[in-house]
Amino acid sequence: MEDNRRSRGFTLVELLVVIGIIALLISILLPSLNRARQQANLVVCAANLHSVGELMQEYAAQFQGYSPACYSETYYTTWADTLSLLSIHRYLAQTSPTAAFPGQPVTANQYEPQEDMNVFHDVDVNNVSWFAHSCAYVANPRALGSVDKSKIFWDPLVSSSIKGYSPRKLSTIQRASDVMMVWCGACQIQGSTNYGVYYPFAEALDGYQMTGGHGFCYPTPASNTFPTTSYANLISLGGANPLGGATPNSRTGGVTLSYLKLENMDALSTTYNGFGGTDVCNMRFRHMNNTACNFLFVDGHVASRSIGTVIAQDICMNPASPP
């Protein structure tokens, strides 16, 4: 008997139903997957900073308790360079804590490693090539200090004619578990190269209060123009405009659209200009869809903070010695 049964395929309606179900599942799962990826990147960044903290402690243990200098304009060396040298044990015997760099020759010109370690790179930065001496993190200059009279920043407790902050021992920093020492910074990206943060220290964070006002000092501000009640204010993320002005700030909703649009500071201008010029956005909330920033504290622990939770007191500390 002839078999009249025929194989039956999917109808158009059935195919559309299946496609619709798949599309629905994707729309449900994608946000979760994206958030999981962002959370993973946040954790990787935190692990980087934890490693940096361990290098800081190792450096201090070998050099009389001193932290690595955040920057030297004379020797063109950054704290990331110094810690990278430490990791490969390419440094000389201790000379003095106030030498060009503790453990490095006073006559050194450009005492740098071939390239900085990968822990100074951040996965949530644009996917471009890293420059050899690039760093995605910014240091607190009062915590690390400088090694020469840099023309870039000055300690308001001393004099505007005496440039730079004094090198100090990490053990002299009070409130070590409350003071932010290193954090995510805005990177300068030109073409297909990431050159890292423009300066490896917070040059204009909180509306230039580092060179006046609180001067990164706590509990006594560097200037009486900064009332102690302002330690509880949300900080500005660079530039001279006050909190709530045109400069991006850490208040929820206060970060400008252009700031969020730039994953770091790589578009609109190739000269790294912005609301505050070359010094804008010294604290970059680049994680979790531009809402979170990781911080390394003086005591070595790492914590993530959201936009609108960082206040002036978090970046201020006692000076190395009484003014």
Side-chain angles (χ1 to χ4, degrees):
M1 174 186 278
E2 183 180 353
D3 188 357
N4 292 324
R5 291 176 300 176
R6 298 179 181 177
S7 59
R8 180 175 177 274
F10 288 107
T11 66
L12 178 59
V13 173
E14 289 172 332
L15 285 174
L16 291 176
V17 169
V18 171
I19 293 173
I21 292 173
I22 294 174
L24 178 63
L25 290 174
I26 290 175
S27 66
I28 293 174
L29 292 176
L30 270 184
S32 298
L33 291 175
N34 287 336
R35 183 168 181 82
R37 178 184 58 80
Q38 293 170 14
Q39 186 67 44
N41 288 351
L42 184 71
V43 171
V44 171
C45 173
N48 285 348
L49 288 179
H50 182 73
S51 297
V52 170
E54 291 180 335
L55 286 171
M56 290 273 193
Q57 294 299 326
E58 182 181 348
Y59 184 95
Q62 297 193 38
F63 298 121
Q64 301 180 22
Y66 281 84
S67 62
C70 65
Y71 183 70
S72 169
E73 190 175 66
T74 299
Y75 300 98
Y76 195 64
T77 304
T78 71
W79 60 278
D81 293 331
T82 303
L83 293 181
S84 295
L85 284 171
L86 177 74
S87 69
I88 57 177
H89 302 287
R90 291 186 59 185
Y91 50 89
L92 304 181
Q94 170 72 13
T95 53
S96 71
T98 56
F101 283 89
Q104 299 179 20
V106 179
T107 56
N109 183 19
Q110 292 186 357
Y111 203 69
E112 299 176 331
Q114 185 173 359
E115 62 182 3
D116 287 341
M117 299 172 61
N118 286 335
V119 294
F120 298 105
H121 299 167
D122 194 348
V123 291
D124 262 339
V125 176
N126 288 10
N127 187 24
V128 294
S129 300
W130 289 88
F131 179 66
H133 296 281
S134 56
C135 177
Y137 300 103
V138 170
N140 190 325
R142 187 167 287 282
L144 271 63
S146 61
V147 298
D148 55 15
K149 297 179 180 179
S150 172
K151 298 177 181 178
I152 295 178
F153 57 91
W154 53 276
D155 186 345
L157 289 181
V158 183
S159 169
S160 60
S161 61
I162 300 177
K163 307 297 181 182
Y165 283 77
S166 299
R168 68 183 302 170
K169 295 183 177 181
L170 289 176
S171 61
T172 66
I173 300 177
Q174 302 169 7
R175 303 170 45 249
S177 62
D178 299 323
V179 176
M180 297 171 172
M181 180 167 61
V182 174
W183 49 78
C184 301
C187 292
Q188 178 192 24
I189 301 173
Q190 295 184 7
S192 59
T193 303
N194 184 345
Y195 290 92
V197 295
Y198 194 86
Y199 291 137
F201 54 87
E203 197 271 337
L205 190 64
D206 206 21
Y208 290 104
Q209 293 295 332
M210 64 165 285
T211 52
H214 57 58
F216 288 165
C217 296
Y218 182 86
T220 304
S223 169
N224 57 15
T225 61
F226 186 88
T228 55
T229 54
S230 295
Y231 282 121
N233 285 351
L234 296 169
I235 63 168
S236 296
L237 300 180
N241 291 331
L243 182 67
T247 299
N249 62 70
S250 65
R251 179 185 291 117
T252 301
V255 176
T256 63
L257 177 62
S258 58
Y259 174 74
L260 289 176
K261 183 178 179 181
L262 305 179
E263 184 170 345
N264 285 274
M265 285 296 291
D266 58 327
L268 295 186
S269 172
T270 58
T271 57
Y272 201 67
N273 288 322
F275 290 95
T278 58
D279 48 30
V280 76
C281 303
N282 281 290
M283 185 178 288
R284 183 66 177 92
F285 292 80
R286 61 168 148 255
H287 299 294
M288 303 305 295
N289 196 26
N290 293 300
T291 61
C293 181
N294 277 327
F295 298 87
L296 169 66
F297 289 76
V298 175
D299 70 346
H301 86 275
V302 177
S304 176
R305 299 278 287 274
S306 300
I307 292 176
T309 64
V310 182
I311 60 176
Q313 182 175 320
D314 293 329
I315 61 174
C316 296
M317 69 199 74
N318 60 298
S321 58

